[in-house]
Amino acid sequence: DGGITQSPKYLFRKEGQNVTLSCEQNLNHDAMYWYRQDPGQGLRLIYYSQIVNDFQKGDIAEGYSVSREKKESFPLTVTSAQKNPTAFYLCASSIEGDGSYEQYFGPGTRLTVT
Amino acid sequence: QKEVEQNSGPLSVPEGAIASLNCTYSDRGSQSFFWYRQYSGKSPELIMFIYSNGDKEDGRFTAQLNKASQYVSLLIRDSQPSDSATYLCAVNWYSNSGYALNFGKGTSLLVTP
């Protein structure tokens, strides 16, 4: 089955620790995205990548880092510099990154930092 | 920042009625428009996309686009309790570093039996 997987579903970390969220897709999509969702809020774009070995900052990139070494994978690292990391993190992909194509979402990772 | 506005609701409709969800956007250059459904605690699920002015129908769902007035709407006919969810409107826009989707905060829909 084709799709997007994110792991883990729930993640708990202590303040000051870096944490990496996994996102894998087997849809052969060129573009991948990371969003953050807070309660009662819309999705806010953290980073996106239109092709392998290239990525761009979104609206709220501070405190986050990404890599895109393989087409299938787009991991997100939440660093200790992110002031309010507790949120629902969503990974998405689309055929291309030109804005014309729909994005498909993974199941999400709920991160809690205490 | 380009804006996408939705009424947060909740919008309450009886089972079998038509639910009408509206979205306005600020970027006149936007070309692609998407509706997603999100159940509580779950990730968004694509319902429909529309690129041209007018109506696009898919089963019980109809998307309507009016670029001159900068609004897009979603109609759900014969609403069912299982349609109760938050509906997100998304609009593409071009930033300095490429295209991205801008999401509204969503409208909460409650279909009552």
Side-chain angles (χ1 to χ4, degrees), chain A residues 37 48 59 98-100 103 106, chain B residues 1 32 36 38 43 51 97 99:
Chain A
Q37 188 175 38
Y48 62 106
D59 302 319
D98 68 355
S100 302
Q103 293 182 17
Chain B
Q1 173 63 289
S32 307
Y36 288 84
Q38 187 175 25
S43 62
Y51 304 140
S97 47
Y99 283 99

Side-chain angles (χ1 to χ4, degrees), chain A residues 3-77:
Chain A
I4 304 173
T5 57
Q6 291 185 245
S7 61
K9 189 173 181 180
Y10 298 97
L11 191 54
F12 299 89
R13 280 292 183 268
K14 294 290 187 186
E15 203 171 298
Q17 293 179 334
N18 291 354
V19 60
T20 297
L21 280 58
S22 168
C23 177
E24 304 276 333
Q25 54 99 359
N26 61 4
L27 300 167
N28 200 31
H29 286 176
D30 282 332
M32 297 186 73
Y33 310 81
W34 274 104
Y35 295 91
R36 168 185 173 139
Q37 188 175 38
D38 295 282
Q41 299 295 314
L43 277 67
R44 292 185 290 169
L45 182 65
I46 304 173
Y47 268 98
Y48 62 106
S49 168
Q50 297 187 347
I51 55 171
V52 176
N53 292 321
D54 188 39
F55 49 82
Q56 291 79 38
K57 293 182 179 179
D59 302 319
I60 54 165
E62 186 176 348
Y64 299 98
S65 66
V66 294
S67 63
R68 186 87 188 275
E69 297 176 2
K70 297 188 301 182
K71 188 175 185 177
E72 303 79 19
S73 179
F74 192 40
L76 172 75
T77 297

Side-chain angles (χ1 to χ4, degrees), chain B residues 13-86:
Chain B
V13 299
E15 185 175 356
I18 296 175
S20 178
L21 305 162
N22 300 313
C23 171
T24 59
Y25 60 95
S26 63
D27 182 11
R28 283 196 171 274
S30 295
Q31 297 294 322
S32 307
F33 308 86
F34 306 86
W35 282 101
Y36 288 84
R37 176 175 62 198
Q38 187 175 25
Y39 293 112
S40 180
K42 302 295 186 183
S43 62
E45 169 192 10
L46 180 71
I47 298 176
M48 292 192 70
F49 55 87
I50 186 167
Y51 304 140
S52 304
N53 276 330
D55 295 0
K56 179 182 179 182
E57 189 174 315
D58 183 1
R60 296 188 295 114
F61 299 98
T62 299
Q64 299 176 318
L65 175 60
N66 184 323
K67 290 184 180 179
S69 301
Q70 293 176 243
Y71 84 78
V72 56
S73 62
L74 179 70
L75 302 179
I76 306 175
R77 290 181 299 281
D78 188 23
S79 295
Q80 302 296 310
S82 59
D83 294 325
S84 298
T86 297

